[in-house]
Amino acid sequence: MGELQIATLYSITLGVLPKALRSWRQTHPDVGIRLFEHRHTDELIEAMNAGEADLAVGPEPAGWTGVTRTLGTEELVVVVAADDPAAVGEDIALKDLADRAWVHYTPGHGLADVLDIACAQAGFEPRVAVRTEQTAAAPALAAAGLGPALVPDNILPKDFDGHILHPQPRVHRTLTAYTRGEPDPLAAAFIDVLVWSSRAAGTRS
């Protein structure tokens, strides 16, 4: 018996964690899980510094002095409606979407920064068609025709009815599990499950 406390981001609860938690429950059915979900990496790091959880799962934390273990590289993709003019082929240059209004994220959401930085590197500032607080809403809004969205590829269901494009240059972030000090045996065991499930899911390591 016991409880494992995990701090993470909303998008990671959707993408990386479900497979790992399913495997964990099969081997540790008596251990409860409590998730503390945050919008931004900075909030996640601050919460971990304050002792919120046993471990964190999120993008690589800059300047972290505790223990960090790399899980792999999370790819982000561009989603558009199936009938969108850009829905051709598998790749797209982000600069080719410079004149479009985007499905964006609310200020303070970590993926808002990711999109803004990717577009800036491509030479433009994204115009906003709609902003959403919910990571899961972004691909649905894009598939409905409101504009392109940049989303982690691992949050998209297999039967997703939008069109998926791989941005050029590619957009990605390194995902890690980290703790303030040496993880206790329960946290260390869960990190091992995370590493295995990330590799099984095809996350680049």
Side-chain angles (χ1 to χ4, degrees):
M1 296 292 290
E3 182 179 74
L4 183 63
Q5 298 179 332
I6 303 169
T8 191
L9 302 178
Y10 289 118
S11 62
I12 290 175
T13 302
L14 290 168
V16 172
L17 282 181
K19 183 177 180 65
L21 290 173
R22 179 180 179 181
S23 297
W24 178 258
R25 292 292 293 170
Q26 291 172 350
T27 55
H28 297 77
D30 294 330
V31 178
I33 298 290
R34 183 175 181 184
L35 297 178
F36 297 90
E37 297 165 284
H38 299 275
R39 297 187 307 161
H40 196 283
T41 301
D42 290 346
E43 295 176 3
L44 177 59
I45 293 172
E46 182 179 347
M48 281 301 292
N49 276 323
E52 179 182 71
D54 300 312
L55 73 151
V57 183
E60 187 172 18
W64 186 254
T65 58
V67 176
T68 303
R69 187 163 176 188
T70 300
L71 303 178
T73 301
E74 180 181 61
E75 298 289 342
L76 286 92
V77 295
V78 174
V79 172
V80 295
D83 60 353
D84 189 285
V88 179
E90 297 182 354
D91 300 316
I92 192 164
L94 279 180
K95 65 181 181 180
D96 292 343
L97 298 171
D99 62 342
R100 302 290 297 275
W102 287 71
V103 174
H104 213 316
Y105 301 92
T106 53
H109 194 297
L111 289 177
D113 291 349
V114 174
L115 175 58
D116 286 341
I117 291 170
C119 292
Q121 291 174 343
F124 69 98
E125 180 179 345
R127 292 190 297 113
V128 178
V130 60
R131 288 188 185 271
T132 179
E133 176 83 13
Q134 301 298 324
T135 305
L141 293 170
L146 292 178
L150 186 70
V151 303
D153 64 352
N154 54 32
I155 75 168
L156 298 174
K158 292 183 179 180
D159 58 351
F160 180 66
D161 59 2
H163 188 83
I164 301 169
L165 295 162
H166 298 277
Q168 303 298 325
R170 61 194 281 260
V171 181
H172 58 88
R173 56 183 181 177
T174 300
L175 297 184
T176 60
Y178 54 99
T179 56
R180 292 181 302 281
E182 286 296 328
D184 63 37
L186 208 58
F190 185 76
I191 292 171
D192 287 340
V193 171
L194 271 171
V195 171
W196 173 83
S197 64
S198 296
R199 291 174 178 170
T203 304
R204 296 175 184 268
S205 57

